Structure formats: C-alpha cells, structure tokens
Amino acid sequence: MKDVRVLTSPFNPGTLIGPFTNAHPGLGGVCTFVGEVRGEADVEQLELSHYEPLTLPSMEELAEQAITRFDLMGMLMVHRVGAMRPGEPIVCVSAAAKHRRGAIDAVDFAMDHLKSAAWFWKREKRNGQWHWIEPRADDYADLARWSD
Amino acid sequence: MAVRIVFLGPLRDLTGEDSREVPAPLDWAGLLSAVAPQVAEQLNEQRVNVACAGKVLADKTTLNARDGDEVALLPPVSGG
C-alpha cells in the first residue's frame, strides 16, 4: 500500500507504523525513519510552508518511484507543515519489503528527495527573528547519489 | 479573469505579499516585468523554478499562462 500524507497538526509516528506494518502480511522487513525538530539552544520555533498544488502530487510520485525502484510492498510517507517546536516529528517514512536492503535503501532514497527536492520551505525563529533554511551542499550531494 | 502570481518561501518575504494578480496572458518577459526587480533577479537564477497551472516548467522561459492560471515562483526548497 502507498500511504502519503501532508499534515497540518502534530502526529505520533508510532500510531502510523503499527497499522502500516500489519497491512503487509508476509513482509521480510520494515525500515522507518522519523525526523524531529532538533532541540538547539536558540531555536524557538520552526515553520514549514509548502505549495499545496505540487506537494502531495510530488510526494505521491516519489513514493511510487521508491516502490518500483526498491521492489517494495508498501511505503508510508508523512510530512508536517505549519509551526513546530523542538522535539515534534516533522517527517516519517516507512518502507515494507520482502528483503531488508530494499526497505533500508528506499527510506534513504525518499528522505534525500524530501530534503532537497520536494516543495517545502523551512524557516526557524531564533531570538525572535525568522531565518530561512537553505539546503546544504551535503543535501544536494546526498540527492545526487541516486541519479543514474 | 487574470493570472495569479504566487510567491513561495523566501520570495514571499522579498516581495512582502503572498500573491499578485496580473492581466492574462503572461509570458516570461511579462513575468519578469510584473514582479519587483529583486524578484526578477532571483527568477533569472537557475535554482529558482516556476510552475504554471500545477506543473513545474522544464524550461521556465517558455511560460505561457492563460486566464485563470496560477503561476508559482519556487525558490530552492528545504524539507525534512
């Protein structure tokens, strides 16, 4: 199954992963990554904005690519938008497959694409001032690993 | 009817507005002259993408927005 969502309010990844796993009887492995707002001393708030007409369709397409490329049984891809505080989950990606390598690589692939090739913009508030976060060179290098 | 130009992420701060309506049709030259000079400067950079009617343009200079279309200006993204 493919379960792709953009959420505007806080979520608990644990409540999604159980049902996702149970939906794939006969699987060989599930790999899950959960990204949270890092607790840094001066970060008060983080805000993710997106462009709705593109966000969900591009995430659906990314999940579809991962399912085909890594021969998955299913993929769960959930991304928050809106204002968040340190410790809150931002993203959860889970892949179910017959074999472990496909599941692990699919999550790595999906995260690299969500980080620097999906339609999200991130900014953080430090000392009362908002700062836009641009992808780092490392993020682009991570993404380039998957191009053929 | 008109074309709505939508400013995303840091471009929104640069213009101080979320969106702006301009007369249709709108091509690349028209877009560059419809936005503030500092936004036009960003648009000329390769890392800024343009979407029209829900599709990201492979070549943004081919923009040809018609009545009712939404044109989104998409600066470099940062998710996850």
Side-chain angles (χ1 to χ4, degrees):
Chain A
M1 74 187 271
K2 186 178 61 160
D3 185 352
V4 178
R5 309 182 205 182
V6 174
L7 301 179
T8 54
S9 55
F11 71 105
N12 177 352
T15 61
L16 301 175
I17 295 158
F20 174 72
T21 304
N22 291 337
H24 301 97
L27 61 78
V30 178
C31 180
T32 300
F33 174 83
V34 175
E36 296 190 354
V37 181
R38 218 184 336 268
E40 285 176 31
D42 57 344
V43 175
E44 296 152 31
Q45 210 176 10
L46 186 130
E47 187 200 61
L48 266 169
S49 54
H50 70 134
Y51 182 53
E52 205 167 359
L54 293 181
T55 324
L56 203 54
S58 68
M59 283 171 66
E60 294 268 3
E61 196 187 316
L62 176 59
E64 208 53 68
Q65 278 176 24
I67 288 168
T68 306
R69 180 164 176 162
F70 301 100
D71 198 17
L72 302 182
M73 297 169 77
M75 172 156 265
L76 171 73
M77 185 183 285
V78 178
H79 209 297
R80 263 297 305 278
V81 293
M84 284 159 267
R85 299 198 174 276
E88 276 186 50
I90 303 179
V91 61
C92 172
V93 174
S94 194
K98 286 280 183 196
H99 303 283
R100 89 175 179 286
R101 183 63 62 202
I104 293 171
D105 287 351
V107 170
D108 202 14
F109 170 87
M111 278 310 306
D112 283 345
H113 284 76
L114 286 172
K115 203 82 192 162
S116 53
W119 302 106
F120 296 103
W121 294 273
K122 195 193 288 188
R123 62 176 187 165
E124 57 188 29
K125 197 189 229 174
R126 298 192 299 267
N127 305 318
Q129 294 264 331
W130 286 103
H131 302 270
W132 289 100
I133 310 298
E134 290 226 359
R136 301 164 303 143
D138 285 355
D139 292 331
Y140 290 123
D142 287 344
L143 182 62
R145 295 186 298 142
W146 304 104
S147 53
D148 294 317
Chain B
M1 290 289 277
V3 172
R4 180 187 290 273
I5 304 174
V6 181
F7 304 96
L8 276 311
L11 291 181
R12 183 171 289 184
D13 285 357
L14 212 52
T15 56
E17 57 187 354
D18 292 353
S19 67
R20 171 187 298 188
E21 292 216 342
V22 298
L26 184 72
D27 64 6
W28 176 243
L31 175 64
L32 290 179
S33 58
V35 297
Q38 65 269 32
V39 174
E41 198 178 302
Q42 291 283 318
L43 277 172
N44 277 313
E45 289 192 28
Q46 203 182 345
R47 58 196 208 128
V48 175
N49 281 287
V50 173
C52 181
K55 294 261 181 291
V56 182
L57 303 176
D59 175 0
K60 58 195 175 187
T61 65
T62 62
L63 175 69
N64 181 19
R66 295 160 194 274
D67 252 4
D69 281 350
E70 190 166 279
V71 173
L73 313 189
L74 310 159
V77 295
S78 52

